[in-house]
Amino acid sequence: MKVWIVNPYGSLPGEAWREYRSAMLAEAYARAGHEVTWWLSNFEHRSKTFRGDGYEERQLENGVNVRIVPTTAYSGHVSLARIRSERNFARNLAQHVRLDPKDKADLIVLAEPSIFYGKFIVEMARSIGAELVADVIDIWPEVFAMILPRPLQGLERVLLAPLYMRRAAILRSCTGIVGVSEDYREIGVRAAPGVPSAVSYWGVDVARVRAAIDSESGEVLQKLGLDAKKPGEVWVIYAGTLGAGYDMESIIQAARAECLVGKSVKFLFAGDGPQRGLLESVCKLPTGNIVYLGRLDPEDLNLIYKYCDIGLSTYLARSTVSMPIKFYDYLAAGIAIVNSLEREIGRLIADHHLGKQYVPGDAESLATAIAVLVDDHASLAVCKENSAALAPKFDQYMQHDAFVKFTESLV
């Protein structure tokens, strides 16, 4: 088949971010023998910089064609300028296809959320006779509800009804729906009953993470300025976005909680975001058990996991996240998990005894969950073993190959 993956967001090889969903999916289609094109914006979302001045075509080493579509810039994650950028991306993409009548696809995979630009892609798919599959990566109307003023939060379904209607219209136009978690698949199915659906988790390259861990013999500690791990010491890591919605303050308070005072515990933070300044200031305090490593490249992050015992999945109560990407890293590295989310990750942690749950936003609850594992080394070891055993289920190659097979059955 000729397969197009339409997603303005994502990272190309060499852009210093971890491998993105669309890139992994494109590679899976190429492995299966399909001709793959990834349509991508020329404005890089994370760095807020342009990849180039205009339309550009590249070919990756795995044979995937990348078409970089010009659009407009924006600075705010939640802004009219970002909406305008998405719409300009889709318009320019559709215009490029119209100019070349021979340029057609058999299957288009549309990254969802696409509520501000998906209509253009739906119309384009119909015009060239391509089947359309939605890949539900995030759930935007629900995310927007999180930022409504508290007095309006009970009215979120009414206030955001136009956005829910847009999403439903896009999903009902699809031949299939895939979710990156069971929860997201169910949201898609409720919006478009009767459309075939499947789950394909984001996953991680389990073999690569473990090969990195096996190769590490202290070099990354020296590179990052970390002292060697003491016997019996427990290292707790948070890896990801340092944002207000990720319960950073609870972690910092928990690190200094009375139930952890005097215990051999070190908290490591890896990532970047709005809370970076807060972390840097806390690291200067005399307690000395909080270390900010900065934004690590994926390889160094894999190496540091060798020394970690507990991974934190910390989100505030209204978070819409179902299966955070860091969860797959923690599994591959064989790390116990302390988590605030319910949904699918909460069920997996409970069913497979991977770690402990805590009350979101409650620093004392978080500290207690960590202390239980720190005080019971046997229980901690079991959680780590269970985590490592579950990891292969979420191998990125297996998961994305399953995505490909599901869509092949629809065309």
Side-chain angles (χ1 to χ4, degrees):
M1 293 189 297
K2 289 187 176 181
V3 180
W4 290 356
I5 297 171
V6 176
N7 188 351
Y9 303 106
S11 304
L12 291 171
E15 291 185 341
W17 302 98
R18 68 173 294 152
E19 200 169 10
Y20 192 69
R21 170 74 162 190
S22 296
M24 292 187 287
L25 193 54
E27 183 180 356
Y29 276 108
R31 281 199 307 272
H34 302 294
E35 183 182 326
V36 191
T37 297
W38 176 14
W39 298 84
L40 176 69
S41 169
N42 75 332
F43 186 73
E44 206 282 314
H45 172 67
R46 291 189 175 101
S47 64
K48 302 295 188 293
T49 59
F50 284 101
R51 294 184 167 95
D53 295 329
Y55 180 83
E56 182 184 351
E57 293 191 19
R58 302 181 190 177
Q59 187 167 57
L60 305 184
E61 291 183 1
N62 56 16
V64 172
N65 301 306
V66 179
R67 297 186 183 184
I68 301 174
V69 180
T71 189
T72 50
Y74 56 90
S75 57
H77 272 33
V78 182
S79 63
L80 291 175
R82 182 176 180 182
I83 295 172
R84 188 180 307 116
S85 180
E86 287 191 359
R87 292 173 69 84
N88 285 335
F89 161 81
R91 284 195 185 102
N92 289 338
L93 189 164
Q95 175 66 15
H96 188 86
V97 172
R98 280 195 297 271
L99 292 175
D100 186 355
K102 297 179 182 179
D103 198 11
K104 294 184 178 181
D106 301 302
L107 172 70
I108 298 175
V109 178
L110 172 62
E112 174 63 38
S114 64
I115 52 178
F116 297 115
Y117 73 93
K119 179 182 177 181
F120 298 102
I121 307 305
V122 170
E123 293 173 350
M124 181 187 71
R126 288 173 179 164
S127 70
I128 63 174
E131 302 292 346
L132 185 65
V133 170
D135 184 20
V136 185
I137 298 172
D138 204 349
I139 47 175
W140 270 14
E142 291 84 352
V143 169
F144 297 157
M146 293 176 61
I147 62 174
L148 288 174
R150 188 173 295 275
L152 299 178
Q153 287 177 359
L155 300 173
E156 60 190 51
R157 296 297 300 196
V158 175
L159 295 173
L160 300 176
L163 299 184
Y164 284 104
M165 292 172 64
R166 282 189 185 186
R167 181 175 67 184
I170 293 167
L171 293 176
R172 286 196 298 268
S173 300
C174 292
T175 306
I177 297 171
V178 180
V180 293
S181 73
E182 181 61 36
D183 298 299
Y184 284 10
R185 184 197 69 83
E186 290 178 359
I187 286 173
V189 170
R190 285 199 299 270
V195 176
S197 65
V199 175
S200 169
Y201 297 95
W202 196 290
V204 67
D205 187 339
V206 176
R208 184 173 183 175
V209 173
R210 292 181 174 175
I213 288 173
D214 290 342
S215 70
E216 164 58 15
S217 57
E219 294 86 352
V220 76
L221 299 180
Q222 184 176 8
K223 179 179 179 179
L224 299 177
L226 290 169
D227 294 330
K229 190 176 183 181
K230 301 173 185 175
E233 189 175 36
V234 174
W235 283 16
V236 181
I237 189 167
Y238 173 91
T241 303
L242 308 179
Y246 296 86
D247 215 0
M248 294 293 104
E249 292 188 4
S250 288
I251 307 175
I252 292 168
Q253 292 176 34
R256 295 177 285 178
E258 185 175 347
C259 65
L260 289 175
V261 171
K263 299 185 189 298
S264 188
V265 183
K266 180 176 287 187
F267 287 78
L268 305 178
F269 289 84
D272 205 349
Q275 300 289 318
R276 176 174 180 162
L278 172 64
L279 275 177
E280 290 174 333
S281 63
V282 170
C283 289
K284 298 175 183 177
L285 297 176
T287 53
N289 68 334
I290 299 177
V291 179
Y292 175 51
L293 303 174
R295 195 187 86 192
L296 302 184
D297 66 54
E299 295 306 317
D300 283 344
L301 183 57
N302 289 339
L303 294 173
I304 201 66
Y305 280 140
K306 179 184 181 77
Y307 305 98
C308 297
D309 304 285
I310 299 171
L312 298 179
S313 170
T314 53
Y315 296 81
L316 294 178
R318 288 178 60 80
S319 173
T320 61
V321 174
S322 174
M323 290 285 280
I325 298 170
K326 61 176 67 69
F327 175 63
Y328 308 118
D329 292 345
Y330 296 160
L331 293 181
I335 296 174
I337 300 158
V338 173
N339 168 65
S340 66
L341 291 169
E342 297 181 353
R343 302 187 182 88
E344 192 164 3
I345 182 177
R347 297 191 294 270
L348 285 167
I349 290 171
D351 292 347
H352 295 272
H353 305 287
L354 306 177
K356 298 295 180 182
Q357 200 79 4
Y358 83 95
V359 179
D362 187 330
E364 183 177 352
S365 174
L366 174 57
T368 300
I370 294 170
V372 168
L373 293 173
V374 169
D375 291 338
D376 189 345
H377 283 262
S379 177
L380 176 59
V382 169
C383 290
K384 293 171 69 174
E385 289 171 4
N386 292 343
S387 185
L390 185 61
K393 176 181 177 181
F394 299 102
D395 179 80
Q396 72 180 50
Y397 297 103
M398 183 182 75
Q399 290 297 326
H400 291 89
D401 286 348
F403 188 119
V404 171
K405 289 179 181 177
F406 170 70
T407 58
E408 285 173 338
S409 72
L410 302 174
V411 178

